[in-house]
Amino acid sequence: DAGVIQSPRHEVTEMGQEVTLRCKPISGHNSLFWYRQTMMRGLELLIYFNNNVPIDDSGMPEDRFSAKMPNASFSTLKIQPSEPRDSAVYFCASSLGGTRYQPQHFGDGTRLSIL
Amino acid sequence: DQQVKQNSPSLSVQEGRISILNCDYTNSMFDYFLWYKKYPAEGPTFLISISSIKDKNEDGRFTVFLNKSAKHLSLHIVPSQPGDSAVYFCAASAWLNNNDMRFGAGTRLTVKP
């Protein structure tokens, strides 16, 4: 079975550029999560969707970050403009059922470096 | 604010021995806890969970213990194997915030042959 697929795996770009991270959840899963992992703050939840609808975006650091889920099989996390402090590993995860009792399945992450 | 804390960044044990990974939390509303394992260059994978109505949950070599009064949980791996070498994350959620899961910073476990 295909797991959560994230692209790209690595992204290196210059400060000020727009960055788009992509995620394809596991087919049939109706909850999708975006996380950011840094050395300082560990793994933080940025935003999550239930049935393609954003439920809680209180973890999104600032207006430069936006996330969309146009359909059940695709989501994007966009940073515009990017800054060096956005450098981190970004994970997407999906789960079935929309409750916390269903474990989240993570993609392998996108390692983002902003120069 | 770190509501879930893993105070040991690393742990090293000998193959065949017990590994004990600890996790503390501060939010008394947390009532569901999970452990995830993460290998380098991969995403975390779910390992085991426990609800606050229990104080122990076992799955093969992995057992999670929950001490609600101390706001503490631990993951025991017996016997430890070299393939268990990974970073282990503790996570917690509260029924009020359904899918909002808070993670600890992780503990890197190394199991030596």
Side-chain angles (χ1 to χ4, degrees):
Chain A
D1 286 345
V4 175
I5 299 172
Q6 291 186 245
S7 64
R9 289 298 311 273
H10 303 272
E11 174 90 13
V12 181
T13 191
E14 292 189 346
M15 185 174 86
Q17 297 296 307
E18 178 179 292
V19 172
T20 300
L21 311 181
R22 296 173 175 80
C23 176
K24 178 178 168 54
I26 292 173
S27 177
H29 282 192
N30 59 350
S31 293
L32 183 138
F33 309 81
W34 282 101
Y35 289 87
R36 177 172 69 175
Q37 184 185 18
T38 61
M39 290 292 290
M40 292 292 291
R41 301 175 66 89
L43 204 57
E44 305 172 271
L45 177 65
L46 300 177
I47 185 171
Y48 74 91
F49 297 82
N50 272 356
N51 297 314
N52 312 339
V53 176
I55 301 301
D56 185 352
D57 65 355
S58 59
M60 296 284 262
E62 46 196 277
D63 292 346
R64 298 183 298 106
F65 285 70
S66 63
K68 293 182 180 179
M69 191 164 187
N71 57 61
S73 58
F74 184 66
S75 176
T76 59
L77 177 68
K78 190 172 291 190
I79 308 172
Q80 165 63 16
S82 57
E83 297 182 2
R85 61 192 166 121
D86 302 331
S87 298
V89 181
Y90 291 80
F91 289 102
C92 175
S94 69
S95 69
L96 178 65
T99 78
R100 63 207 178 119
Y101 302 112
Q102 295 290 339
Q104 296 179 19
H105 299 258
F106 283 75
D108 288 340
T110 294
R111 182 172 294 277
L112 177 63
S113 298
I114 308 296
L115 307 177
Chain B
D1 61 338
Q2 279 285 83
Q3 298 184 46
V4 178
K5 299 176 184 177
Q6 294 177 257
N7 293 319
S8 298
S10 63
L11 174 68
S12 181
V13 300
Q14 209 66 37
E15 181 179 6
R17 299 290 188 100
I18 184 171
S19 295
I20 300 177
L21 298 110
N22 294 304
C23 178
D24 297 292
Y25 60 96
T26 57
N27 188 341
S28 58
M29 301 298 289
F30 287 151
D31 62 349
Y32 191 67
F33 306 88
L34 308 92
W35 284 93
Y36 281 79
K37 180 167 77 171
K38 183 184 180 304
Y39 292 118
E42 294 183 10
T45 54
F46 170 73
L47 195 56
I48 193 169
S49 63
I50 188 167
S51 166
S52 61
I53 61 172
K54 296 176 129 183
D55 53 20
K56 176 182 173 182
N57 188 26
E58 193 171 351
D59 183 1
R61 296 186 297 113
F62 301 91
T63 303
V64 56
F65 294 92
L66 175 62
N67 183 333
K68 290 185 289 293
S69 60
K71 294 192 180 69
H72 177 83
L73 64 158
S74 60
L75 175 68
H76 293 211
I77 307 173
V78 184
S80 302
Q81 299 173 354
D84 296 329
S85 298
V87 177
Y88 289 79
F89 291 97
C90 170
S93 69
W95 69 272
L96 277 177
N97 296 319
N98 208 359
N99 276 316
D100 186 354
M101 198 157 61
R102 302 288 166 150
F103 282 81
T107 296
R108 181 178 301 278
L109 172 66
T110 302
V111 180
K112 298 179 179 177

